[in-house]
Amino acid sequence: MPEPIVGLHHVTAIASNPQRNLDFYTGVLGLRLVKRTINFDDPGTYHFYFGDDRGSPGTILTFFPWPHMGKGNIGVGETSATAFSVPVESVPFWEERLRAAGVLVDREESRFDNTVLKFSDPDGMRLELVGRIAGVQANAARTSDVPTQHAISGFFGVTLCEVGFEKTATVLERMGFWRAGVEGHRYRFSAAAQALGSHIDVLVQPQLLPGRMGAGSVHHIAFRAPSDAAQLAWREELKTLDLDITPVLDRTYFHSIYFREPGGVLFEIATDPPGFTSDESIESLGETLKLPGWYESKRELIEKTLPPITLHKITK
Ligand code: ZN
C-alpha cells in the first residue's frame, strides 16, 4: 500500500461576500488568512485560504467568494458539516465567544464521547467545534485575539451526507480509514494516525434530496499525500476501484488529483509540498495578492476588478 493518508489536507467551500467571509474566519474563529489569491479559472474572484499560523496541511479551509452567489441547499452527495478541533476545556470559551458574535450555537453533549458545538457561518455553511481531550497542539494565528490556549488546532473531520454508507466505506477503507464506530445513522471512519482531520463521518439520510451547490456549500474535501510519489501511488491504488481520477494538476501550493466517490462527494488528494510559504514569508502570509506567473502581466486589471478587502491584524 502507498504511504498512509493521515487525514484531511484542506476543505474548499463557496461563499458570497468576501469581506464578511474574511471577517468571520479571522475575526470570530481566529484563523489566519494564509493566502490571498484568485480563482485560476475565474480571475475576477478571490480564492481565500484560512489556516493556522503556518498554513499547515490539515488546517486549511479555502473559499471562492462570489459576491452575488445564492445560497446552496445541503443534501445527499455533499459534505454537510466541517468540524474543527479545540481543547475540551475551551468549549465554554467558544460557546461564549460565538454567542457574543451573534452566532446561534447548538451544543451536542456527546457524539462519540466528544462535546460538539454546532453553528453556521454567515453564508449558512455548517461548522462544528469538537472538544478533544488530547488534540494536536495548535499553532495559534499571530493575527488573532483568540488566546493561544483556546485556539483552533485545525480540522477534526467532516460529515458526508449520503443515501447509504457502504459504497463510500469501500473507498475510505481502501484509503486506510477504519470503521471506528456507529451512532444512530452516523458511521465514523478514522485514520490510524492521531493527525488533524482524521475523522470522516458518513451520515445516512436517504430522505434528503440531492444537495445544490451555492454559498455555504462545501465544493470538495482534500486528503493529504506526503509527497508527489505517494500521490501517484494512491492514484494507481484507487484506480483499481474503478474510480475516474484526474491527472495531477498544479495548484501552485500543492499538487492535486480529484475523483468523485460513489456517494457523490468530490474527493481530492493534495500533496503537502510545496506549501504556503513557497512564495511569501511566514511573517507576511496572506498580506498581498498572489498571482500565478501566467496572470502577472494582468495584475493591474485583476486588482481593479477584485472587490477591495480590509485585513484585521491584532498585535498580541
Ligand atoms: Zn482542493
Side-chain angles (χ1 to χ4, degrees), residues 82-84 86 90-99 104-109 111 114-120 126-131:
T82 301
F84 293 102
V86 295
S90 303
V91 170
F93 165 86
W94 280 103
E95 201 167 4
E96 199 181 311
R97 182 175 171 93
L98 290 165
R99 293 218 162 103
L104 287 172
V105 186
D106 185 19
R107 184 180 172 129
E108 187 175 330
E109 283 308 329
R111 180 195 295 170
N114 293 122
T115 303
V116 182
L117 299 180
K118 301 187 281 188
F119 56 101
S120 297
R126 292 189 197 163
L127 300 171
E128 296 172 339
L129 293 181
V130 179

PDB file of all heavy atoms in Angstrom, residues 82-84 86 90-99 104-109 111 114-120 126-131:
ATOM      1  N   THR A  82     -18.391  20.704   8.530  1.00  0.00           N
ATOM      2  CA  THR A  82     -16.929  20.746   8.621  1.00  0.00           C
ATOM      3  C   THR A  82     -16.574  21.022  10.073  1.00  0.00           C
ATOM      4  O   THR A  82     -17.046  22.010  10.641  1.00  0.00           O
ATOM      5  CB  THR A  82     -16.379  21.854   7.700  1.00  0.00           C
ATOM      6  OG1 THR A  82     -16.807  21.564   6.354  1.00  0.00           O
ATOM      7  CG2 THR A  82     -14.866  21.931   7.752  1.00  0.00           C
ATOM      8  N   ALA A  83     -15.790  20.147  10.668  1.00  0.00           N
ATOM      9  CA  ALA A  83     -15.517  20.238  12.111  1.00  0.00           C
ATOM     10  C   ALA A  83     -14.059  20.577  12.387  1.00  0.00           C
ATOM     11  O   ALA A  83     -13.147  19.996  11.795  1.00  0.00           O
ATOM     12  CB  ALA A  83     -15.862  18.913  12.781  1.00  0.00           C
ATOM     13  N   PHE A  84     -13.870  21.526  13.302  1.00  0.00           N
ATOM     14  CA  PHE A  84     -12.536  21.893  13.783  1.00  0.00           C
ATOM     15  C   PHE A  84     -12.344  21.319  15.184  1.00  0.00           C
ATOM     16  O   PHE A  84     -13.309  21.061  15.904  1.00  0.00           O
ATOM     17  CB  PHE A  84     -12.389  23.412  13.856  1.00  0.00           C
ATOM     18  CG  PHE A  84     -12.415  24.106  12.535  1.00  0.00           C
ATOM     19  CD1 PHE A  84     -13.557  24.765  12.105  1.00  0.00           C
ATOM     20  CD2 PHE A  84     -11.292  24.132  11.732  1.00  0.00           C
ATOM     21  CE1 PHE A  84     -13.586  25.432  10.884  1.00  0.00           C
ATOM     22  CE2 PHE A  84     -11.307  24.802  10.505  1.00  0.00           C
ATOM     23  CZ  PHE A  84     -12.450  25.455  10.081  1.00  0.00           C
ATOM     24  N   VAL A  86     -10.838  21.743  19.029  1.00  0.00           N
ATOM     25  CA  VAL A  86     -10.389  22.671  20.082  1.00  0.00           C
ATOM     26  C   VAL A  86     -10.167  21.852  21.358  1.00  0.00           C
ATOM     27  O   VAL A  86     -10.736  20.767  21.496  1.00  0.00           O
ATOM     28  CB  VAL A  86     -11.411  23.811  20.353  1.00  0.00           C
ATOM     29  CG1 VAL A  86     -11.571  24.719  19.148  1.00  0.00           C
ATOM     30  CG2 VAL A  86     -12.761  23.268  20.819  1.00  0.00           C
ATOM     31  N   SER A  90     -11.746  24.306  26.365  1.00  0.00           N
ATOM     32  CA  SER A  90     -12.038  25.578  25.691  1.00  0.00           C
ATOM     33  C   SER A  90     -13.463  25.654  25.153  1.00  0.00           C
ATOM     34  O   SER A  90     -13.847  26.693  24.604  1.00  0.00           O
ATOM     35  CB  SER A  90     -11.061  25.776  24.522  1.00  0.00           C
ATOM     36  OG  SER A  90      -9.739  25.734  24.980  1.00  0.00           O
ATOM     37  N   VAL A  91     -14.238  24.576  25.302  1.00  0.00           N
ATOM     38  CA  VAL A  91     -15.601  24.582  24.748  1.00  0.00           C
ATOM     39  C   VAL A  91     -16.436  25.730  25.337  1.00  0.00           C
ATOM     40  O   VAL A  91     -17.093  26.460  24.574  1.00  0.00           O
ATOM     41  CB  VAL A  91     -16.267  23.197  24.928  1.00  0.00           C
ATOM     42  CG1 VAL A  91     -17.746  23.247  24.591  1.00  0.00           C
ATOM     43  CG2 VAL A  91     -15.549  22.168  24.047  1.00  0.00           C
ATOM     44  N   PRO A  92     -16.423  25.975  26.668  1.00  0.00           N
ATOM     45  CA  PRO A  92     -17.206  27.116  27.188  1.00  0.00           C
ATOM     46  C   PRO A  92     -16.737  28.464  26.630  1.00  0.00           C
ATOM     47  O   PRO A  92     -17.552  29.335  26.345  1.00  0.00           O
ATOM     48  CB  PRO A  92     -16.991  27.042  28.709  1.00  0.00           C
ATOM     49  CG  PRO A  92     -16.570  25.635  28.971  1.00  0.00           C
ATOM     50  CD  PRO A  92     -15.803  25.199  27.750  1.00  0.00           C
ATOM     51  N   PHE A  93     -15.418  28.618  26.465  1.00  0.00           N
ATOM     52  CA  PHE A  93     -14.888  29.857  25.877  1.00  0.00           C
ATOM     53  C   PHE A  93     -15.488  30.085  24.493  1.00  0.00           C
ATOM     54  O   PHE A  93     -15.948  31.185  24.161  1.00  0.00           O
ATOM     55  CB  PHE A  93     -13.354  29.773  25.782  1.00  0.00           C
ATOM     56  CG  PHE A  93     -12.741  30.822  24.880  1.00  0.00           C
ATOM     57  CD1 PHE A  93     -12.426  32.079  25.377  1.00  0.00           C
ATOM     58  CD2 PHE A  93     -12.516  30.569  23.518  1.00  0.00           C
ATOM     59  CE1 PHE A  93     -11.888  33.064  24.541  1.00  0.00           C
ATOM     60  CE2 PHE A  93     -11.977  31.546  22.675  1.00  0.00           C
ATOM     61  CZ  PHE A  93     -11.667  32.795  23.195  1.00  0.00           C
ATOM     62  N   TRP A  94     -15.523  29.033  23.687  1.00  0.00           N
ATOM     63  CA  TRP A  94     -16.020  29.168  22.318  1.00  0.00           C
ATOM     64  C   TRP A  94     -17.523  29.390  22.281  1.00  0.00           C
ATOM     65  O   TRP A  94     -18.031  30.163  21.456  1.00  0.00           O
ATOM     66  CB  TRP A  94     -15.607  27.959  21.473  1.00  0.00           C
ATOM     67  CG  TRP A  94     -14.185  28.088  21.018  1.00  0.00           C
ATOM     68  CD1 TRP A  94     -13.092  27.450  21.524  1.00  0.00           C
ATOM     69  CD2 TRP A  94     -13.694  28.986  20.013  1.00  0.00           C
ATOM     70  NE1 TRP A  94     -11.950  27.872  20.881  1.00  0.00           N
ATOM     71  CE2 TRP A  94     -12.289  28.815  19.946  1.00  0.00           C
ATOM     72  CE3 TRP A  94     -14.295  29.912  19.157  1.00  0.00           C
ATOM     73  CZ2 TRP A  94     -11.488  29.539  19.052  1.00  0.00           C
ATOM     74  CZ3 TRP A  94     -13.498  30.632  18.264  1.00  0.00           C
ATOM     75  CH2 TRP A  94     -12.110  30.444  18.220  1.00  0.00           C
ATOM     76  N   GLU A  95     -18.225  28.726  23.175  1.00  0.00           N
ATOM     77  CA  GLU A  95     -19.677  28.909  23.215  1.00  0.00           C
ATOM     78  C   GLU A  95     -19.992  30.380  23.501  1.00  0.00           C
ATOM     79  O   GLU A  95     -20.824  30.994  22.830  1.00  0.00           O
ATOM     80  CB  GLU A  95     -20.267  27.994  24.298  1.00  0.00           C
ATOM     81  CG  GLU A  95     -21.726  27.724  24.096  1.00  0.00           C
ATOM     82  CD  GLU A  95     -22.231  26.571  24.966  1.00  0.00           C
ATOM     83  OE1 GLU A  95     -21.464  26.025  25.782  1.00  0.00           O
ATOM     84  OE2 GLU A  95     -23.414  26.247  24.806  1.00  0.00           O
ATOM     85  N   GLU A  96     -19.259  30.947  24.451  1.00  0.00           N
ATOM     86  CA  GLU A  96     -19.487  32.344  24.811  1.00  0.00           C
ATOM     87  C   GLU A  96     -19.032  33.294  23.700  1.00  0.00           C
ATOM     88  O   GLU A  96     -19.727  34.253  23.365  1.00  0.00           O
ATOM     89  CB  GLU A  96     -18.715  32.634  26.103  1.00  0.00           C
ATOM     90  CG  GLU A  96     -19.216  33.859  26.834  1.00  0.00           C
ATOM     91  CD  GLU A  96     -18.391  34.104  28.087  1.00  0.00           C
ATOM     92  OE1 GLU A  96     -18.190  33.152  28.867  1.00  0.00           O
ATOM     93  OE2 GLU A  96     -17.943  35.254  28.258  1.00  0.00           O
ATOM     94  N   ARG A  97     -17.886  33.008  23.116  1.00  0.00           N
ATOM     95  CA  ARG A  97     -17.358  33.882  22.060  1.00  0.00           C
ATOM     96  C   ARG A  97     -18.293  33.906  20.844  1.00  0.00           C
ATOM     97  O   ARG A  97     -18.555  34.963  20.270  1.00  0.00           O
ATOM     98  CB  ARG A  97     -15.964  33.394  21.637  1.00  0.00           C
ATOM     99  CG  ARG A  97     -15.296  34.258  20.578  1.00  0.00           C
ATOM    100  CD  ARG A  97     -13.883  33.764  20.307  1.00  0.00           C
ATOM    101  NE  ARG A  97     -13.293  34.432  19.156  1.00  0.00           N
ATOM    102  CZ  ARG A  97     -12.536  35.534  19.216  1.00  0.00           C
ATOM    103  NH1 ARG A  97     -12.286  36.091  20.373  1.00  0.00           N
ATOM    104  NH2 ARG A  97     -12.034  36.081  18.118  1.00  0.00           N
ATOM    105  N   LEU A  98     -18.789  32.728  20.461  1.00  0.00           N
ATOM    106  CA  LEU A  98     -19.690  32.668  19.297  1.00  0.00           C
ATOM    107  C   LEU A  98     -20.991  33.406  19.596  1.00  0.00           C
ATOM    108  O   LEU A  98     -21.475  34.188  18.767  1.00  0.00           O
ATOM    109  CB  LEU A  98     -19.971  31.212  18.913  1.00  0.00           C
ATOM    110  CG  LEU A  98     -18.773  30.463  18.296  1.00  0.00           C
ATOM    111  CD1 LEU A  98     -19.018  28.969  18.279  1.00  0.00           C
ATOM    112  CD2 LEU A  98     -18.483  30.973  16.885  1.00  0.00           C
ATOM    113  N   ARG A  99     -21.552  33.183  20.785  1.00  0.00           N
ATOM    114  CA  ARG A  99     -22.803  33.866  21.135  1.00  0.00           C
ATOM    115  C   ARG A  99     -22.597  35.377  21.162  1.00  0.00           C
ATOM    116  O   ARG A  99     -23.444  36.121  20.683  1.00  0.00           O
ATOM    117  CB  ARG A  99     -23.317  33.365  22.493  1.00  0.00           C
ATOM    118  CG  ARG A  99     -23.744  31.919  22.431  1.00  0.00           C
ATOM    119  CD  ARG A  99     -24.982  31.613  23.263  1.00  0.00           C
ATOM    120  NE  ARG A  99     -25.552  30.338  22.800  1.00  0.00           N
ATOM    121  CZ  ARG A  99     -25.427  29.178  23.438  1.00  0.00           C
ATOM    122  NH1 ARG A  99     -24.803  29.130  24.593  1.00  0.00           N
ATOM    123  NH2 ARG A  99     -25.946  28.083  22.924  1.00  0.00           N
ATOM    124  N   LEU A 104     -25.724  31.721  16.420  1.00  0.00           N
ATOM    125  CA  LEU A 104     -26.567  30.740  17.112  1.00  0.00           C
ATOM    126  C   LEU A 104     -25.768  29.454  17.290  1.00  0.00           C
ATOM    127  O   LEU A 104     -25.239  28.924  16.305  1.00  0.00           O
ATOM    128  CB  LEU A 104     -27.818  30.428  16.286  1.00  0.00           C
ATOM    129  CG  LEU A 104     -28.888  31.501  16.237  1.00  0.00           C
ATOM    130  CD1 LEU A 104     -29.962  31.113  15.230  1.00  0.00           C
ATOM    131  CD2 LEU A 104     -29.507  31.712  17.628  1.00  0.00           C
ATOM    132  N   VAL A 105     -25.695  28.964  18.513  1.00  0.00           N
ATOM    133  CA  VAL A 105     -24.879  27.779  18.797  1.00  0.00           C
ATOM    134  C   VAL A 105     -25.744  26.687  19.409  1.00  0.00           C
ATOM    135  O   VAL A 105     -26.527  26.943  20.320  1.00  0.00           O
ATOM    136  CB  VAL A 105     -23.737  28.107  19.790  1.00  0.00           C
ATOM    137  CG1 VAL A 105     -22.807  26.906  19.950  1.00  0.00           C
ATOM    138  CG2 VAL A 105     -22.961  29.317  19.341  1.00  0.00           C
ATOM    139  N   ASP A 106     -25.579  25.483  18.889  1.00  0.00           N
ATOM    140  CA  ASP A 106     -26.295  24.329  19.417  1.00  0.00           C
ATOM    141  C   ASP A 106     -25.233  23.387  19.988  1.00  0.00           C
ATOM    142  O   ASP A 106     -24.249  23.091  19.318  1.00  0.00           O
ATOM    143  CB  ASP A 106     -27.063  23.682  18.255  1.00  0.00           C
ATOM    144  CG  ASP A 106     -27.931  22.538  18.709  1.00  0.00           C
ATOM    145  OD1 ASP A 106     -28.233  22.466  19.915  1.00  0.00           O
ATOM    146  OD2 ASP A 106     -28.284  21.707  17.848  1.00  0.00           O
ATOM    147  N   ARG A 107     -25.431  22.953  21.237  1.00  0.00           N
ATOM    148  CA  ARG A 107     -24.407  22.122  21.883  1.00  0.00           C
ATOM    149  C   ARG A 107     -24.865  20.669  21.924  1.00  0.00           C
ATOM    150  O   ARG A 107     -25.946  20.386  22.427  1.00  0.00           O
ATOM    151  CB  ARG A 107     -24.186  22.661  23.289  1.00  0.00           C
ATOM    152  CG  ARG A 107     -23.093  21.979  24.070  1.00  0.00           C
ATOM    153  CD  ARG A 107     -22.992  22.639  25.448  1.00  0.00           C
ATOM    154  NE  ARG A 107     -22.088  21.909  26.281  1.00  0.00           N
ATOM    155  CZ  ARG A 107     -21.075  22.455  26.949  1.00  0.00           C
ATOM    156  NH1 ARG A 107     -20.863  23.758  26.885  1.00  0.00           N
ATOM    157  NH2 ARG A 107     -20.298  21.717  27.710  1.00  0.00           N
ATOM    158  N   GLU A 108     -24.042  19.775  21.364  1.00  0.00           N
ATOM    159  CA  GLU A 108     -24.322  18.337  21.438  1.00  0.00           C
ATOM    160  C   GLU A 108     -23.359  17.767  22.472  1.00  0.00           C
ATOM    161  O   GLU A 108     -22.144  17.851  22.305  1.00  0.00           O
ATOM    162  CB  GLU A 108     -24.099  17.704  20.047  1.00  0.00           C
ATOM    163  CG  GLU A 108     -24.524  16.253  19.956  1.00  0.00           C
ATOM    164  CD  GLU A 108     -24.388  15.701  18.515  1.00  0.00           C
ATOM    165  OE1 GLU A 108     -24.529  16.470  17.536  1.00  0.00           O
ATOM    166  OE2 GLU A 108     -24.128  14.490  18.388  1.00  0.00           O
ATOM    167  N   GLU A 109     -23.927  17.246  23.573  1.00  0.00           N
ATOM    168  CA  GLU A 109     -23.075  16.882  24.713  1.00  0.00           C
ATOM    169  C   GLU A 109     -22.128  15.739  24.404  1.00  0.00           C
ATOM    170  O   GLU A 109     -20.982  15.734  24.851  1.00  0.00           O
ATOM    171  CB  GLU A 109     -23.932  16.527  25.932  1.00  0.00           C
ATOM    172  CG  GLU A 109     -24.509  17.736  26.654  1.00  0.00           C
ATOM    173  CD  GLU A 109     -23.470  18.797  27.035  1.00  0.00           C
ATOM    174  OE1 GLU A 109     -22.313  18.449  27.307  1.00  0.00           O
ATOM    175  OE2 GLU A 109     -23.839  19.996  27.030  1.00  0.00           O
ATOM    176  N   ARG A 111     -21.032  13.157  21.233  1.00  0.00           N
ATOM    177  CA  ARG A 111     -21.006  12.434  19.946  1.00  0.00           C
ATOM    178  C   ARG A 111     -19.700  11.641  19.968  1.00  0.00           C
ATOM    179  O   ARG A 111     -18.623  12.238  19.975  1.00  0.00           O
ATOM    180  CB  ARG A 111     -21.040  13.419  18.780  1.00  0.00           C
ATOM    181  CG  ARG A 111     -21.009  12.711  17.434  1.00  0.00           C
ATOM    182  CD  ARG A 111     -20.670  13.658  16.311  1.00  0.00           C
ATOM    183  NE  ARG A 111     -21.681  14.682  16.092  1.00  0.00           N
ATOM    184  CZ  ARG A 111     -21.496  15.729  15.292  1.00  0.00           C
ATOM    185  NH1 ARG A 111     -20.354  15.878  14.659  1.00  0.00           N
ATOM    186  NH2 ARG A 111     -22.444  16.621  15.139  1.00  0.00           N
ATOM    187  N   ASN A 114     -17.361  13.041  22.501  1.00  0.00           N
ATOM    188  CA  ASN A 114     -16.865  14.421  22.398  1.00  0.00           C
ATOM    189  C   ASN A 114     -18.029  15.401  22.487  1.00  0.00           C
ATOM    190  O   ASN A 114     -19.106  15.131  21.953  1.00  0.00           O
ATOM    191  CB  ASN A 114     -16.172  14.668  21.054  1.00  0.00           C
ATOM    192  CG  ASN A 114     -14.893  13.878  20.888  1.00  0.00           C
ATOM    193  OD1 ASN A 114     -14.755  13.092  19.952  1.00  0.00           O
ATOM    194  ND2 ASN A 114     -13.953  14.069  21.789  1.00  0.00           N
ATOM    195  N   THR A 115     -17.796  16.550  23.140  1.00  0.00           N
ATOM    196  CA  THR A 115     -18.771  17.639  23.094  1.00  0.00           C
ATOM    197  C   THR A 115     -18.594  18.382  21.768  1.00  0.00           C
ATOM    198  O   THR A 115     -17.466  18.653  21.355  1.00  0.00           O
ATOM    199  CB  THR A 115     -18.547  18.613  24.265  1.00  0.00           C
ATOM    200  OG1 THR A 115     -18.627  17.866  25.468  1.00  0.00           O
ATOM    201  CG2 THR A 115     -19.590  19.723  24.284  1.00  0.00           C
ATOM    202  N   VAL A 116     -19.722  18.690  21.121  1.00  0.00           N
ATOM    203  CA  VAL A 116     -19.664  19.338  19.808  1.00  0.00           C
ATOM    204  C   VAL A 116     -20.505  20.615  19.835  1.00  0.00           C
ATOM    205  O   VAL A 116     -21.673  20.583  20.239  1.00  0.00           O
ATOM    206  CB  VAL A 116     -20.208  18.397  18.703  1.00  0.00           C
ATOM    207  CG1 VAL A 116     -20.115  19.047  17.330  1.00  0.00           C
ATOM    208  CG2 VAL A 116     -19.468  17.062  18.710  1.00  0.00           C
ATOM    209  N   LEU A 117     -19.909  21.736  19.438  1.00  0.00           N
ATOM    210  CA  LEU A 117     -20.671  22.976  19.241  1.00  0.00           C
ATOM    211  C   LEU A 117     -21.002  23.066  17.752  1.00  0.00           C
ATOM    212  O   LEU A 117     -20.103  22.979  16.906  1.00  0.00           O
ATOM    213  CB  LEU A 117     -19.856  24.199  19.663  1.00  0.00           C
ATOM    214  CG  LEU A 117     -19.424  24.280  21.123  1.00  0.00           C
ATOM    215  CD1 LEU A 117     -18.615  25.561  21.362  1.00  0.00           C
ATOM    216  CD2 LEU A 117     -20.633  24.239  22.061  1.00  0.00           C
ATOM    217  N   LYS A 118     -22.301  23.235  17.464  1.00  0.00           N
ATOM    218  CA  LYS A 118     -22.740  23.281  16.060  1.00  0.00           C
ATOM    219  C   LYS A 118     -23.257  24.688  15.745  1.00  0.00           C
ATOM    220  O   LYS A 118     -24.033  25.236  16.527  1.00  0.00           O
ATOM    221  CB  LYS A 118     -23.844  22.245  15.829  1.00  0.00           C
ATOM    222  CG  LYS A 118     -23.390  20.826  16.136  1.00  0.00           C
ATOM    223  CD  LYS A 118     -24.403  19.784  15.747  1.00  0.00           C
ATOM    224  CE  LYS A 118     -25.520  19.673  16.765  1.00  0.00           C
ATOM    225  NZ  LYS A 118     -26.408  18.529  16.488  1.00  0.00           N
ATOM    226  N   PHE A 119     -22.843  25.229  14.629  1.00  0.00           N
ATOM    227  CA  PHE A 119     -23.252  26.583  14.240  1.00  0.00           C
ATOM    228  C   PHE A 119     -23.025  26.743  12.741  1.00  0.00           C
ATOM    229  O   PHE A 119     -22.574  25.810  12.072  1.00  0.00           O
ATOM    230  CB  PHE A 119     -22.467  27.637  15.039  1.00  0.00           C
ATOM    231  CG  PHE A 119     -20.968  27.518  14.935  1.00  0.00           C
ATOM    232  CD1 PHE A 119     -20.238  28.346  14.091  1.00  0.00           C
ATOM    233  CD2 PHE A 119     -20.275  26.558  15.667  1.00  0.00           C
ATOM    234  CE1 PHE A 119     -18.857  28.231  13.982  1.00  0.00           C
ATOM    235  CE2 PHE A 119     -18.889  26.429  15.560  1.00  0.00           C
ATOM    236  CZ  PHE A 119     -18.192  27.267  14.722  1.00  0.00           C
ATOM    237  N   SER A 120     -23.373  27.905  12.212  1.00  0.00           N
ATOM    238  CA  SER A 120     -23.196  28.159  10.777  1.00  0.00           C
ATOM    239  C   SER A 120     -22.416  29.444  10.568  1.00  0.00           C
ATOM    240  O   SER A 120     -22.462  30.353  11.397  1.00  0.00           O
ATOM    241  CB  SER A 120     -24.562  28.304  10.093  1.00  0.00           C
ATOM    242  OG  SER A 120     -25.280  27.111  10.200  1.00  0.00           O
ATOM    243  N   ARG A 126     -22.337  24.853   7.435  1.00  0.00           N
ATOM    244  CA  ARG A 126     -22.416  24.238   8.759  1.00  0.00           C
ATOM    245  C   ARG A 126     -21.031  23.881   9.287  1.00  0.00           C
ATOM    246  O   ARG A 126     -20.276  23.169   8.636  1.00  0.00           O
ATOM    247  CB  ARG A 126     -23.291  22.993   8.704  1.00  0.00           C
ATOM    248  CG  ARG A 126     -24.729  23.355   8.438  1.00  0.00           C
ATOM    249  CD  ARG A 126     -25.605  22.159   8.612  1.00  0.00           C
ATOM    250  NE  ARG A 126     -26.893  22.392   7.971  1.00  0.00           N
ATOM    251  CZ  ARG A 126     -27.746  21.425   7.681  1.00  0.00           C
ATOM    252  NH1 ARG A 126     -27.457  20.177   7.984  1.00  0.00           N
ATOM    253  NH2 ARG A 126     -28.894  21.713   7.115  1.00  0.00           N
ATOM    254  N   LEU A 127     -20.771  24.399  10.475  1.00  0.00           N
ATOM    255  CA  LEU A 127     -19.467  24.218  11.119  1.00  0.00           C
ATOM    256  C   LEU A 127     -19.648  23.585  12.485  1.00  0.00           C
ATOM    257  O   LEU A 127     -20.722  23.683  13.085  1.00  0.00           O
ATOM    258  CB  LEU A 127     -18.784  25.581  11.297  1.00  0.00           C
ATOM    259  CG  LEU A 127     -18.520  26.372  10.029  1.00  0.00           C
ATOM    260  CD1 LEU A 127     -18.040  27.768  10.380  1.00  0.00           C
ATOM    261  CD2 LEU A 127     -17.493  25.673   9.142  1.00  0.00           C
ATOM    262  N   GLU A 128     -18.590  22.965  12.963  1.00  0.00           N
ATOM    263  CA  GLU A 128     -18.607  22.366  14.299  1.00  0.00           C
ATOM    264  C   GLU A 128     -17.251  22.596  14.969  1.00  0.00           C
ATOM    265  O   GLU A 128     -16.218  22.629  14.298  1.00  0.00           O
ATOM    266  CB  GLU A 128     -18.862  20.857  14.200  1.00  0.00           C
ATOM    267  CG  GLU A 128     -20.234  20.543  13.626  1.00  0.00           C
ATOM    268  CD  GLU A 128     -20.473  19.071  13.329  1.00  0.00           C
ATOM    269  OE1 GLU A 128     -19.495  18.314  13.177  1.00  0.00           O
ATOM    270  OE2 GLU A 128     -21.650  18.693  13.233  1.00  0.00           O
ATOM    271  N   LEU A 129     -17.293  22.771  16.282  1.00  0.00           N
ATOM    272  CA  LEU A 129     -16.068  22.748  17.081  1.00  0.00           C
ATOM    273  C   LEU A 129     -16.173  21.534  17.988  1.00  0.00           C
ATOM    274  O   LEU A 129     -17.148  21.399  18.734  1.00  0.00           O
ATOM    275  CB  LEU A 129     -15.931  24.023  17.929  1.00  0.00           C
ATOM    276  CG  LEU A 129     -15.720  25.333  17.189  1.00  0.00           C
ATOM    277  CD1 LEU A 129     -15.583  26.486  18.193  1.00  0.00           C
ATOM    278  CD2 LEU A 129     -14.472  25.280  16.301  1.00  0.00           C
ATOM    279  N   VAL A 130     -15.193  20.656  17.896  1.00  0.00           N
ATOM    280  CA  VAL A 130     -15.209  19.418  18.677  1.00  0.00           C
ATOM    281  C   VAL A 130     -14.176  19.537  19.789  1.00  0.00           C
ATOM    282  O   VAL A 130     -12.998  19.830  19.519  1.00  0.00           O
ATOM    283  CB  VAL A 130     -14.894  18.204  17.770  1.00  0.00           C
ATOM    284  CG1 VAL A 130     -14.878  16.917  18.578  1.00  0.00           C
ATOM    285  CG2 VAL A 130     -15.908  18.113  16.631  1.00  0.00           C
ATOM    286  N   GLY A 131     -14.616  19.348  21.029  1.00  0.00           N
ATOM    287  CA  GLY A 131     -13.705  19.415  22.176  1.00  0.00           C
ATOM    288  C   GLY A 131     -12.939  18.109  22.295  1.00  0.00           C
ATOM    289  O   GLY A 131     -13.527  17.055  22.488  1.00  0.00           O
TER     290      GLY A 131
END
